[in-house]
Amino acid sequence: VAAASPASAPLPKIWHIDAKHKDFRVAVKGDVFHAEWVTLPAQAVKQGAFIRTTCRRSGTKWVGTSNVHQEFADPKAPAGKDIKKMCLLTVRFEVDSITPEKITYHSEVMRDFDYAKCQVLKTAWEQFAWVPKK
């Protein structure tokens, strides 16, 4: 499926994904797609959290990575203890299509994670969509 040319119509600046309750600022300049998480909780901002995505045009889609710096919970923490630490991860990210009404993409998601080392052990690809923020 050929991706729409974002130059054909102006794109909204802020996009939303319901499943994650996050908003992203999106910009497409030439053959480069950028997205950055803009609705970070105050505590996450203090800790330097971010999600930044950069992709380059490759044929009919954009291919790149998302750099994720955020808190992850210790899955082995005792009940009632909320133990977390900041981790920096990079996952593959591909934008399939862009229109003024929807951005479709797929990204690696974690299936297995070594909390102690902040290391992704296993991933899988999942499909997502952003819609303009209302």
Side-chain angles (χ1 to χ4, degrees):
V1 175
S5 170
S8 62
L11 290 176
K13 295 204 184 312
I14 304 297
W15 293 78
H16 181 76
I17 181 166
D18 283 331
K20 308 264 186 206
H21 305 291
K22 293 179 180 172
D23 295 342
F24 289 83
R25 180 180 300 110
V26 171
V28 178
K29 294 179 183 163
D31 288 342
V32 180
F33 172 95
H34 290 287
E36 185 168 358
W37 182 20
V38 294
T39 51
L40 291 84
Q43 184 62 28
V45 171
K46 289 179 188 175
Q47 295 176 308
F50 61 81
I51 298 174
R52 295 182 187 125
T53 301
T54 301
C55 298
R56 300 208 181 284
R57 185 79 178 219
S58 177
T60 61
K61 61 184 173 181
W62 286 261
V63 176
T65 58
S66 281
N67 292 306
V68 179
H69 186 244
Q70 68 182 41
E71 231 179 20
F72 289 86
D74 183 348
K76 295 179 183 172
K81 296 250 182 181
D82 192 21
I83 301 171
K84 297 180 180 179
K85 74 179 191 179
M86 295 295 289
C87 294
L88 178 60
L89 310 173
T90 300
V91 295
R92 294 180 294 170
F93 192 101
E94 295 183 358
V95 178
D96 300 307
S97 71
I98 301 173
T99 69
E101 296 80 31
K102 185 187 247 186
I103 296 174
T104 59
Y105 66 95
H106 54 282
S107 177
E108 284 182 298
V109 294
M110 292 189 307
R111 292 291 185 241
D112 193 11
F113 181 71
D114 184 330
Y115 173 82
K117 295 179 182 177
C118 280
Q119 182 179 14
V120 178
L121 302 174
K122 185 177 179 183
T123 64
W125 285 95
E126 284 190 15
Q127 189 77 27
F128 300 96
W130 288 329
V131 294
K133 176 76 175 183
K134 295 184 182 190

